[in-house]
PDB file of all heavy atoms in Angstrom:
ATOM      1  N   VAL A  57      20.633   6.826   5.872  1.00  0.00           N
ATOM      2  CA  VAL A  57      21.420   6.289   4.757  1.00  0.00           C
ATOM      3  C   VAL A  57      22.459   5.299   5.268  1.00  0.00           C
ATOM      4  O   VAL A  57      22.633   4.201   4.715  1.00  0.00           O
ATOM      5  CB  VAL A  57      22.088   7.430   3.965  1.00  0.00           C
ATOM      6  CG1 VAL A  57      23.133   6.859   2.998  1.00  0.00           C
ATOM      7  CG2 VAL A  57      21.053   8.237   3.199  1.00  0.00           C
ATOM      8  N   ALA A  58      23.136   5.658   6.346  1.00  0.00           N
ATOM      9  CA  ALA A  58      24.161   4.777   6.915  1.00  0.00           C
ATOM     10  C   ALA A  58      23.541   3.483   7.434  1.00  0.00           C
ATOM     11  O   ALA A  58      24.079   2.387   7.213  1.00  0.00           O
ATOM     12  CB  ALA A  58      24.899   5.494   8.044  1.00  0.00           C
ATOM     13  N   ARG A  59      22.394   3.599   8.107  1.00  0.00           N
ATOM     14  CA  ARG A  59      21.750   2.408   8.668  1.00  0.00           C
ATOM     15  C   ARG A  59      21.193   1.513   7.560  1.00  0.00           C
ATOM     16  O   ARG A  59      21.335   0.286   7.613  1.00  0.00           O
ATOM     17  CB  ARG A  59      20.621   2.838   9.605  1.00  0.00           C
ATOM     18  CG  ARG A  59      19.981   1.681  10.328  1.00  0.00           C
ATOM     19  CD  ARG A  59      20.884   1.105  11.410  1.00  0.00           C
ATOM     20  NE  ARG A  59      20.271  -0.057  12.043  1.00  0.00           N
ATOM     21  CZ  ARG A  59      20.573  -1.316  11.740  1.00  0.00           C
ATOM     22  NH1 ARG A  59      21.497  -1.580  10.817  1.00  0.00           N
ATOM     23  NH2 ARG A  59      19.977  -2.315  12.365  1.00  0.00           N
ATOM     24  N   VAL A  60      20.571   2.108   6.561  1.00  0.00           N
ATOM     25  CA  VAL A  60      20.040   1.336   5.440  1.00  0.00           C
ATOM     26  C   VAL A  60      21.174   0.609   4.709  1.00  0.00           C
ATOM     27  O   VAL A  60      21.056  -0.571   4.361  1.00  0.00           O
ATOM     28  CB  VAL A  60      19.265   2.256   4.468  1.00  0.00           C
ATOM     29  CG1 VAL A  60      19.028   1.562   3.137  1.00  0.00           C
ATOM     30  CG2 VAL A  60      17.934   2.672   5.087  1.00  0.00           C
ATOM     31  N   SER A  61      22.261   1.307   4.484  1.00  0.00           N
ATOM     32  CA  SER A  61      23.400   0.693   3.796  1.00  0.00           C
ATOM     33  C   SER A  61      23.951  -0.483   4.596  1.00  0.00           C
ATOM     34  O   SER A  61      24.314  -1.526   4.029  1.00  0.00           O
ATOM     35  CB  SER A  61      24.495   1.734   3.567  1.00  0.00           C
ATOM     36  OG  SER A  61      24.023   2.796   2.761  1.00  0.00           O
ATOM     37  N   GLU A  62      23.996  -0.332   5.913  1.00  0.00           N
ATOM     38  CA  GLU A  62      24.466  -1.415   6.774  1.00  0.00           C
ATOM     39  C   GLU A  62      23.559  -2.639   6.664  1.00  0.00           C
ATOM     40  O   GLU A  62      24.035  -3.773   6.550  1.00  0.00           O
ATOM     41  CB  GLU A  62      24.510  -0.918   8.221  1.00  0.00           C
ATOM     42  CG  GLU A  62      24.969  -1.951   9.239  1.00  0.00           C
ATOM     43  CD  GLU A  62      24.912  -1.413  10.666  1.00  0.00           C
ATOM     44  OE1 GLU A  62      24.608  -0.224  10.858  1.00  0.00           O
ATOM     45  OE2 GLU A  62      25.156  -2.215  11.587  1.00  0.00           O
ATOM     46  N   ILE A  63      22.244  -2.401   6.663  1.00  0.00           N
ATOM     47  CA  ILE A  63      21.289  -3.508   6.550  1.00  0.00           C
ATOM     48  C   ILE A  63      21.419  -4.199   5.201  1.00  0.00           C
ATOM     49  O   ILE A  63      21.426  -5.431   5.110  1.00  0.00           O
ATOM     50  CB  ILE A  63      19.855  -2.979   6.754  1.00  0.00           C
ATOM     51  CG1 ILE A  63      19.662  -2.498   8.193  1.00  0.00           C
ATOM     52  CG2 ILE A  63      18.830  -4.057   6.409  1.00  0.00           C
ATOM     53  CD1 ILE A  63      18.355  -1.763   8.420  1.00  0.00           C
ATOM     54  N   LEU A  64      21.536  -3.410   4.123  1.00  0.00           N
ATOM     55  CA  LEU A  64      21.590  -3.991   2.772  1.00  0.00           C
ATOM     56  C   LEU A  64      22.886  -4.758   2.543  1.00  0.00           C
ATOM     57  O   LEU A  64      22.895  -5.750   1.806  1.00  0.00           O
ATOM     58  CB  LEU A  64      21.421  -2.882   1.737  1.00  0.00           C
ATOM     59  CG  LEU A  64      20.031  -2.239   1.678  1.00  0.00           C
ATOM     60  CD1 LEU A  64      20.012  -1.091   0.676  1.00  0.00           C
ATOM     61  CD2 LEU A  64      18.957  -3.265   1.330  1.00  0.00           C
ATOM     62  N   ARG A  65      23.975  -4.319   3.155  1.00  0.00           N
ATOM     63  CA  ARG A  65      25.226  -5.084   3.031  1.00  0.00           C
ATOM     64  C   ARG A  65      25.093  -6.453   3.687  1.00  0.00           C
ATOM     65  O   ARG A  65      25.692  -7.425   3.226  1.00  0.00           O
ATOM     66  CB  ARG A  65      26.376  -4.308   3.662  1.00  0.00           C
ATOM     67  CG  ARG A  65      26.752  -3.049   2.904  1.00  0.00           C
ATOM     68  CD  ARG A  65      27.951  -2.345   3.513  1.00  0.00           C
ATOM     69  NE  ARG A  65      28.089  -0.998   2.953  1.00  0.00           N
ATOM     70  CZ  ARG A  65      27.966   0.123   3.652  1.00  0.00           C
ATOM     71  NH1 ARG A  65      27.732   0.064   4.967  1.00  0.00           N
ATOM     72  NH2 ARG A  65      28.080   1.299   3.067  1.00  0.00           N
ATOM     73  N   ALA A  66      24.297  -6.522   4.759  1.00  0.00           N
ATOM     74  CA  ALA A  66      24.087  -7.793   5.444  1.00  0.00           C
ATOM     75  C   ALA A  66      23.036  -8.652   4.758  1.00  0.00           C
ATOM     76  O   ALA A  66      22.920  -9.847   5.046  1.00  0.00           O
ATOM     77  CB  ALA A  66      23.681  -7.530   6.895  1.00  0.00           C
ATOM     78  N   GLU A  67      22.253  -8.051   3.859  1.00  0.00           N
ATOM     79  CA  GLU A  67      21.188  -8.759   3.133  1.00  0.00           C
ATOM     80  C   GLU A  67      21.374  -8.532   1.631  1.00  0.00           C
ATOM     81  O   GLU A  67      20.628  -7.795   0.994  1.00  0.00           O
ATOM     82  CB  GLU A  67      19.812  -8.244   3.570  1.00  0.00           C
ATOM     83  CG  GLU A  67      19.508  -8.412   5.045  1.00  0.00           C
ATOM     84  CD  GLU A  67      19.203  -9.857   5.410  1.00  0.00           C
ATOM     85  OE1 GLU A  67      18.978 -10.668   4.481  1.00  0.00           O
ATOM     86  OE2 GLU A  67      19.189 -10.162   6.609  1.00  0.00           O
ATOM     87  N   PRO A  68      22.381  -9.159   1.037  1.00  0.00           N
ATOM     88  CA  PRO A  68      22.719  -8.867  -0.366  1.00  0.00           C
ATOM     89  C   PRO A  68      21.633  -9.221  -1.368  1.00  0.00           C
ATOM     90  O   PRO A  68      21.664  -8.718  -2.495  1.00  0.00           O
ATOM     91  CB  PRO A  68      23.984  -9.709  -0.601  1.00  0.00           C
ATOM     92  CG  PRO A  68      23.939 -10.781   0.448  1.00  0.00           C
ATOM     93  CD  PRO A  68      23.273 -10.170   1.626  1.00  0.00           C
TER      94      PRO A  68
END
Side-chain angles (χ1 to χ4, degrees):
V57 168
R59 185 72 183 100
V60 165
S61 299
E62 179 183 355
I63 293 171
L64 291 176
R65 292 183 193 116
E67 300 286 347

